[in-house]
Amino acid sequence: SYVLTQPPSVSVAPGKTAKFSCEGNNVESKSVNWFQRKPGQAPVLVIYYDSDRPSGIPERFSGSNSGNTATLTIDRVEVGDEADYYCQVWESEDHHMVFGGGTKLTVL
Amino acid sequence: QLQLQESGPGLVKPSETLSLTCTVSGGSVNSDSYFWGWIRQPPGKGLEWLGSISYSGSTYSNPSLKSRVTTSLDASKKQFSLKLTSVTAADTAVYYCARALAVANAPVLFDYWGQGTLVTVSS
């Protein structure tokens, strides 16, 4: 079955840029969605269809998808952005929703 | 504003069936523009999709759990449900219900989530 691979952790200083990778075989052929999950809270959709932002999500959040890697970028990182970030795709061949393992963002 | 709320037992015995219900408020389930689904997160692990169901009854389930997962929807009550049979300690997790946008009759992304409910499998 299809697999999405994410690094376990990313650390960045406040005000800097954080990048999260999501690797999958030819992932550029799929639409990648990104979720933010803070402890004790429900996941929140921050990017959908590779690069679209839901209403209410700051412009600091952006996404891209090329080749075998999709990327979530957070510019001007804030302490409040500390969370786990998950990528997700719908695998249409075997009708299966796939999540990456998640990346924990630590703001130093 | 759409809201989803999970309910059900917080403790289930091994080999028994885990049953959860999600109640939808602030919106309708009477549309094939959406699927209604379940996702879980075991302690210390990532998110795992379990299954989804549409208003018209189309269903999809995680292949790794397919024979154990059943989803159903009661539009009159604005509720949908999950049954997971033959549970073990490995099924201990926070269980979320969520709404997914439907594209080509498939649940492609979750846009609204419930707060989640912890289910522990233990004797």
Side-chain angles (χ1 to χ4, degrees):
Chain A
S1 62
Y2 196 75
V3 176
L4 294 172
T5 301
Q6 298 183 249
S9 63
V10 165
S11 298
V12 67
K16 301 300 185 182
T17 296
K19 288 185 179 291
F20 304 82
S21 62
C22 175
E23 295 187 353
N25 183 35
N26 194 29
V27 74
E28 70 176 354
S29 66
K30 306 181 188 303
S31 293
V32 178
N33 310 303
W34 291 89
F35 296 90
Q36 174 195 69
R37 199 189 73 83
K38 296 181 179 180
Q41 298 185 21
V44 173
L45 181 67
V46 294
I47 292 290
Y48 66 99
Y49 295 165
D50 296 338
S51 58
D52 290 341
R53 266 180 298 104
S55 60
I57 300 301
E59 292 183 8
R60 301 185 295 107
F61 288 76
S62 62
S64 63
N65 188 6
S66 178
N68 294 322
T69 304
T71 304
L72 169 69
T73 300
I74 308 176
D75 293 319
R76 302 180 299 283
V77 166
E78 302 173 357
V79 172
D81 296 330
E82 277 202 340
D84 295 326
Y85 291 85
Y86 294 88
C87 58
Q88 173 262 315
V89 300
W90 173 256
E91 170 50 52
S92 56
E93 288 192 9
D94 61 1
H95 302 143
H96 183 194
M97 185 170 282
V98 180
F99 287 96
T103 298
K104 181 178 179 60
L105 172 64
T106 299
V107 181
L108 302 171
Chain B
Q1 176 80 352
L2 190 76
Q3 293 187 324
L4 295 89
Q5 180 65 57
E6 304 89 352
S7 59
L11 181 65
V12 181
K13 290 183 168 55
S15 79
E16 295 188 346
T17 296
L18 181 160
S19 297
L20 295 174
T21 297
C22 184
T23 301
V24 178
S25 59
S28 172
V29 302
N30 298 25
S31 171
D32 280 334
S33 295
Y34 304 105
F35 276 76
W36 305 90
W38 295 92
I39 307 96
R40 70 181 181 182
Q41 184 165 29
K45 297 187 177 181
L47 298 169
E48 179 182 33
W49 170 71
L50 302 179
S52 299
I53 185 169
S54 73
Y55 170 67
S56 62
S58 297
T59 59
Y60 296 95
S61 299
N62 189 322
S64 67
L65 296 166
K66 196 167 188 176
S67 61
R68 298 175 53 210
V69 169
T70 302
T71 53
S72 60
L73 185 146
D74 186 336
S76 66
K77 295 182 179 179
K78 296 176 69 175
Q79 293 179 334
F80 59 102
S81 299
L82 168 75
K83 290 190 186 299
L84 180 66
T85 61
S86 305
V87 298
T88 69
D91 295 308
T92 294
V94 174
Y95 286 76
Y96 296 97
C97 62
R99 186 184 81 168
L101 297 181
V103 175
N105 197 34
V108 296
L109 76 97
F110 291 111
D111 59 351
Y112 284 94
W113 297 63
Q115 287 296 312
T117 186
L118 174 63
V119 179
T120 301
V121 178
S122 175
S123 55

